[in-house]
């Protein structure tokens, strides 16, 4: 006689998963990503990546070699994030400052910033824009 035990997710986390269980979880993640229900979470991930991309740019010398911290007073990621959170438009304004060609950003940073701009445009019902070639290929390739 077999006794089926129902384990809470926390209990399963400590146990090795079977291949079938890993595949099931993977399929669930794919369904969530394809579902409109997961859009909010995906947008939050995109925003987080953009904030880190902007912070990475912030860590490089600013105009004339002056540190950005001396220019804007943000010395930590928390300070910078607080500045972006101060007003709803600050993140998008910071992202749009890199248009049209995302100069000064790496390809990964440009992609992260471009995605947030695309989300913003979609929410404003703005037409889809043509991005600079490096950001376009990084975003869609």
């Amino acid at each position: 006689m077999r006794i089926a035990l129902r384990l809470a997710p926390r209990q399963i986390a400590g146990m090795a998963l079977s291949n079938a269980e890993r595949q099931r979880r993977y399929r669930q993640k794919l369904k969530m990503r394809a579902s409109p229900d997961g859009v909010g979470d995906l947008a939050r991930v995109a925003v987080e990546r953009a904030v880190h991309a902007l912070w990475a740019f912030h860590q490089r010398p600013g105009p004339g070699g002056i540190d950005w911290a001396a220019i804007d007073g943000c010395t930590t990621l928390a300070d910078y994030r607080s500045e972006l959170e101060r007003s709803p438009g600050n993140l998008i304004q910071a992202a749009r400052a890199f248009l049209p060609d995302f100069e000064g950003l790496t390809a990964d940073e440009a992609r992260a910033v471009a995605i947030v701009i695309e989300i913003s445009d979609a929410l404003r019902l703005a037409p889809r824009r043509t991005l600079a070639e490096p950001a376009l290929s990084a975003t869609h390739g």
Side-chain angles (χ1 to χ4, degrees):
M1 181 161 144
R2 295 176 67 182
I3 298 174
L5 295 175
R6 284 191 86 79
L7 300 176
R10 285 186 212 147
Q11 292 170 316
I12 293 173
M15 301 170 66
L17 298 177
S18 70
N19 190 38
E21 181 64 19
R22 280 192 298 278
Q23 289 176 359
R24 186 186 67 74
R25 287 184 180 192
Y26 177 73
R27 284 190 302 276
Q28 282 179 329
K29 285 181 186 179
L30 289 178
K31 284 180 186 176
M32 182 57 102
R33 287 180 184 159
S35 163
D37 297 337
V39 170
D41 290 334
L42 290 174
R44 283 180 186 82
V45 169
V47 165
E48 195 61 34
R49 288 179 181 158
V51 167
H52 284 275
L54 294 169
W55 177 248
F57 175 82
H58 189 277
Q59 295 300 289
R60 297 190 278 275
I66 300 171
D67 286 343
W68 280 107
I71 296 170
D72 65 12
C74 297
T75 57
T76 66
L77 176 59
D79 292 341
Y80 188 67
R81 177 183 223 88
S82 176
E83 189 65 30
L84 292 175
E85 291 172 354
R86 188 172 304 199
S87 173
N90 285 354
L91 173 62
I92 299 305
Q93 183 178 1
R96 290 186 192 284
F98 289 96
L99 291 175
D101 59 1
F102 299 91
E103 185 178 341
L105 297 178
T106 67
D108 287 340
E109 292 165 354
R111 181 178 344 142
V113 171
I115 289 170
V116 167
I117 292 170
E118 283 189 46
I119 292 170
S120 171
D121 287 351
L123 291 172
R124 292 183 311 113
L125 301 176
R128 184 172 227 150
R129 73 176 65 234
T130 302
L131 299 174
E133 186 58 35
L136 182 65
S137 62
T139 303
H140 302 292

